[in-house]
Amino acid sequence: MASAAAFLAFSLFALHLCCCHGQAADAGNGVTAIYSLGDSITDTGNLVKEAPPGMFETIKHLPYGVTFGYPTGRCSDGLLMIDFLAQDLGLPFLNPYLGKNKSFDHGVNFAVAGATAMDPADQFNRSIPVPFVANSLKVQLRWFKDFMKSSFATDGEIRKRLQNSLVLVGEIGGNDYNYAFFGNKEINEVEKLIPGVVRTIIDATKEVLEMGANRVIVPGNFPIGCVPGYLTMKAGSSEPSDYDSSGCLRELNLFAAKHNSRLQRAVADLKAAYPNASVAYADYFNSFLALLQNASSLGFDAASTRKACCGAGGGDYNFDRRRMCGAEGATACAEPSTYVSWDGIHMTQAAYRAMSSLIYHGRYLEPQILNFPEKYGQT
C-alpha cells in the first residue's frame, strides 16, 4: 500500500483531476431549474464546505478564481461549463448544496470535487488507498432525494418540478480510475472497473428518471491522455510511438474511449426504456479533441495546449505534483484565457466556455434536447 504521505499527495492530485415526450420540439424550452451531480468538473463549492481545515486549501485561495475575481471553490481560474450552461438557459449560477443561506430556487449543485461514481467501500481494497472524498454518486443522489422531499410536499409535486428541470448526472467516474491508476494498477486491470462504474452511473440516472425527470444529460469522460498531469506522470516511461499526432497518450485515450463507448450504449438503452423522457449523452471526449485541433481559431495558444497555466516544473507540461497550483513555488500565467489547462488537471474558464459552446451549441450533445432562449443566446 502507498504511504500516507504519498496518498495525501495523490488525493490532492486526484481532486484536481479531480425531458418532454420523446424528442419533442420544445424539449429544451421551459427549463426553470438545473440539478447537477458530479465531481470537480462541476463542483461550484461543495468540497470547500465539506473538507476539514487544512485539507485542499489551495482551491480556497487565489490564484484559483483569479479570472472570476475571487476564489469560489471551483477548480479553475473562473467559471465552469455548468455556469455557462446556466447562463445560456437564462438561469443564475447553481449554488452548492452544502452552502449556507443560499437560494436553491433555480436548482442545486450536488457535485463534489474528488468524488467517485462507485462507493469507495465497493471499489477500493488494500491495494488501492481509499480516497479522502467519500461523497460518491450514491451519496449525492441521496442528497438530491432528501432535498426534493424536504422542498416539496408530495411525489406529485416533485414530478411537476422535474418536468421543468434539467438534471446532469456527471461527469463522474474519472476519479474511480484515477485512484486505481495511482494504486499502480495496469490499464488492463483498471478496465475491469468500467462495467461497474458505468452501471453505477446508469442506475443513478434511472432513479432520477423514476422520480419524474424528463430532461437528463449524461456526460462521458475526457481524453485523459491529453491532460498535462497524466502526460507528466507518464513522461519518463513513454516512447515516441506512445503519443498521437496531438501529443496525447494513445493508451490512456483508448481507455477513456472504452469507458465512453460502454456508457453511450447504456444511455441508448435508457432512451429506449424511457421513451417519454429526453435523455442525451454529452461527448466530452470528442469535443475536447475538437478544441485542441482548433485551438488557434478559438483564441488559444496552440503551443500551450498541453501546458498548465498555473503550476511549477516548466517543460512541456508545467506540472509538478509536489508543487501544484496554489502551492509554494507554483505560479500562474499572465493570460489564462490563452491556455486550455488551468492547473494541469482542470481547464481554464476560457476552455470551459469553448467546451460548453461545442457541446450545447454544437454537435456534441447527442441528441440535442435543449433550445436556448433567444434573449440569452450563447455566452
Side-chain angles (χ1 to χ4, degrees), residues 19 80 301 319 372 379:
C19 289
L80 311 176
D301 176 10
F319 182 86
F372 295 93
T379 52

Side-chain angles (χ1 to χ4, degrees), residues 239-262:
E239 300 294 333
S241 60
D242 293 336
Y243 299 86
D244 63 20
S245 59
S246 297
C248 303
L249 288 160
R250 298 178 190 275
E251 192 175 34
L252 285 175
N253 280 0
L254 178 60
F255 170 86
K258 288 180 179 179
H259 164 90
N260 291 337
S261 178
R262 192 178 188 100

Side-chain angles (χ1 to χ4, degrees), residues 174-321:
N175 285 321
D176 297 65
Y177 306 134
N178 295 333
Y179 292 124
F181 281 126
F182 178 68
N184 296 319
K185 296 295 184 181
E186 298 294 332
I187 284 185
N188 62 344
E189 293 183 87
V190 184
E191 283 180 0
K192 295 176 183 177
L193 297 175
I194 292 177
V197 169
V198 170
R199 185 170 57 251
T200 300
I201 295 169
I202 295 301
D203 286 348
T205 307
K206 285 180 180 178
E207 292 197 51
V208 168
L209 288 163
E210 289 293 331
M211 291 173 66
N214 64 359
R215 297 177 185 87
V216 180
I217 295 175
V218 183
N221 202 356
F222 293 89
I224 59 175
C226 301
V227 174
Y230 266 120
L231 286 163
T232 301
M233 288 174 65
K234 298 288 186 178
S237 59
S238 299
E239 300 294 333
S241 60
D242 293 336
Y243 299 86
D244 63 20
S245 59
S246 297
C248 303
L249 288 160
R250 298 178 190 275
E251 192 175 34
L252 285 175
N253 280 0
L254 178 60
F255 170 86
K258 288 180 179 179
H259 164 90
N260 291 337
S261 178
R262 192 178 188 100
L263 182 61
Q264 281 182 281
R265 292 196 301 271
V267 169
D269 291 341
L270 268 186
K271 290 193 290 187
Y274 294 87
N276 294 326
S278 293
V279 182
Y281 172 77
D283 190 350
Y284 284 13
F285 188 97
N286 286 302
S287 56
F288 186 85
L289 292 180
L291 186 158
L292 291 184
Q293 291 161 7
N294 297 281
S296 295
S297 63
L298 292 171
F300 299 100
D301 176 10
S304 300
T305 55
R306 295 180 305 281
K307 180 177 291 188
C309 164
C310 183
D316 292 334
Y317 311 122
N318 192 37
F319 182 86
D320 183 341
R321 201 172 76 202

Side-chain angles (χ1 to χ4, degrees), residues 80-94:
L80 311 176
M81 280 187 280
I82 188 70
D83 299 309
F84 292 114
L85 176 58
Q87 283 185 332
D88 290 351
L89 288 169
L91 300 175
F93 298 145
L94 291 190

Side-chain angles (χ1 to χ4, degrees), residues 336-349:
S337 63
T338 64
Y339 281 69
V340 170
S341 177
W342 164 243
D343 58 11
I345 305 300
H346 305 101
M347 299 164 72
T348 60
Q349 172 178 292

Side-chain angles (χ1 to χ4, degrees), residues 10-12 14 17 62 131 174 179 183 192 250 265-266 273 307 334 352:
F10 183 74
S11 293
L12 290 167
L17 277 173
L62 293 171
Y179 292 124
K192 295 176 183 177
R250 298 178 190 275
R265 292 196 301 271
K307 180 177 291 188
Y352 280 133

